[in-house]
């Protein structure tokens, strides 16, 4: 399984087939990740509404710290860069807090927050 060095872009059919197989797998994983994130955000929206009804703050720094530590451990066990996993979770947490702030604001104003 080698590629041509002629610069024509000719690739061994076996390499093309293996590349297609791997890309199909990546596409399936990406779809699963998107669906899992959607489920996660459905749950965090419910948390946001519960917090708003009970006038709890949108952010919970101690929970966030525990979650980051937990995710770093999971990442290490899965042979994934824990720094990357932490950055990814921090991005998600920031988005969740933004949603919770919007829910709290609309709840305080007596309007209904749109769900994402």
């Amino acid at each position: 399984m080698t590629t041509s060095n002629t610069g024509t872009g000719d690739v061994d059919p076996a390499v093309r087939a293996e590349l297609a197989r791997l890309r199909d797998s990546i596409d399936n994983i990406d779809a699963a990740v998107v669906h899992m994130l959607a489920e996660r955000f459905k749950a965090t929206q419910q948390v946001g509404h519960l917090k708003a009804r009970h006038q709890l703050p949108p952010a919970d720094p101690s929970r966030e710290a525990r979650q980051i530590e937990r995710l770093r451990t999971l990442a290490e066990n899965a042979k994934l860069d824990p720094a990357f996993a932490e950055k990814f979770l921090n991005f998600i947490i920031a988005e969740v807090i933004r949603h919770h702030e919007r829910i709290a604001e609309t709840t305080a104003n007596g309007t209904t927050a749109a769900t994402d």
Side-chain angles (χ1 to χ4, degrees):
M1 289 198 270
T2 60
T3 60
S4 169
N5 289 332
T6 64
T8 63
D10 295 333
V11 178
D12 182 313
V15 171
R16 283 188 190 275
E18 180 69 1
L19 187 58
R21 183 190 68 76
L22 291 169
R23 286 179 172 165
D24 284 346
S25 180
I26 290 167
D27 292 349
N28 288 338
I29 293 166
D30 287 346
V33 167
V34 167
H35 288 282
M36 293 301 296
L37 283 171
E39 288 301 311
R40 188 185 197 289
F41 277 98
K42 286 177 189 173
T44 62
Q45 289 290 321
Q46 293 174 14
V47 168
H49 287 285
L50 184 62
K51 285 180 170 184
R53 280 195 305 274
H54 297 279
Q55 299 175 348
L56 297 170
D60 184 345
S62 63
R63 161 110 172 123
E64 294 156 19
R66 287 191 309 274
Q67 285 297 94
I68 288 168
E69 219 25 67
R70 181 173 138 320
L71 193 72
R72 286 185 68 90
T73 299
L74 289 170
E76 288 171 3
N77 292 340
K79 307 294 188 249
L80 178 67
D81 178 7
F84 168 77
E86 183 174 344
K87 287 177 195 174
F88 182 71
L89 186 60
N90 280 327
F91 175 78
I92 291 171
I93 289 170
E95 188 68 9
V96 167
I97 291 170
R98 188 181 69 76
H99 292 182
H100 289 187
E101 289 169 343
R102 189 179 67 231
I103 291 167
E105 183 179 309
T106 57
T107 299
N109 294 335
T111 59
T112 304
T115 56
D116 294 320

